[in-house]
């Protein structure tokens, strides 16, 4: 018999990670801040913020290797490079966002 407790993604401890909770709060704050009558493209902006977070985390995890990051994400390396350019993320010895430089 297979129980949910045997699977790590269904165990109670796996869902209480501090990182996703902080991301939830940041994403919620981002969205609520932009909920205005004259707002446009909120869907695109929210996806951009999530992509920026995801790509930065993955690139840090693989030590900046775009080949490994693309494989882990399940996308082509060209797609990853295009996304990095669109989001203003540079990969050097460490992963940097152009937003963080100002």
């Amino acid at each position: 018999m297979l129980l949910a407790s045997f699977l790590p993604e269904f165990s109670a401890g796996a869902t209480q990670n501090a990182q996703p909770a902080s991301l939830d709060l940041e994403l919620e704050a981002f969205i609520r801040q932009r909920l205005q009558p004259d707002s446009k493209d909120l869907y695109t902006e929210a996806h951009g913020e999530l992509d920026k977070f995801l790509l930065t985390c993955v690139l840090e995890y693989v030590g900046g290797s775009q080949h490994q990051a693309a494989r882990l994400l399940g996308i082509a390396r060209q797609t990853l490079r295009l996304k990095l350019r669109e989001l203003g993320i540079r990969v050097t010895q460490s992963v940097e966002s152009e937003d963080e430089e100002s």
Side-chain angles (χ1 to χ4, degrees):
M1 178 178 275
L2 184 62
L3 299 174
S5 61
F6 294 151
L7 304 172
E9 63 268 11
F10 291 108
S11 66
T15 60
Q16 296 177 356
N17 189 343
Q19 186 70 17
S22 67
L23 176 62
D24 288 347
L25 294 175
E26 289 176 27
L27 190 56
E28 181 179 357
F30 173 84
I31 292 169
R32 290 195 183 281
Q33 178 184 17
R34 284 167 176 75
L35 285 176
Q36 305 293 326
D38 60 341
S39 289
K40 294 181 182 177
D41 294 329
L42 180 57
Y43 184 82
T44 303
E45 287 183 38
H47 272 263
E49 288 299 308
L50 183 59
D51 282 351
K52 191 179 290 188
F53 178 79
L54 174 64
L55 295 180
T56 301
C57 286
V58 169
L59 284 163
E60 287 173 357
Y61 176 76
V62 297
S65 169
Q66 292 181 27
H67 176 75
Q68 290 178 345
R71 194 177 76 221
L72 181 64
L73 292 164
I75 61 175
R77 207 169 5 172
Q78 295 93 337
T79 303
L80 175 62
R81 288 182 180 149
L82 177 64
K83 202 57 146 158
L84 293 173
R85 233 178 280 124
E86 287 174 1
L87 297 171
I89 299 172
R90 287 193 321 234
V91 180
T92 57
Q93 293 293 61
S94 62
V95 180
E96 301 170 354
S97 174
E98 289 179 358
D99 293 345
E100 295 172 359
E101 293 176 0
S102 19

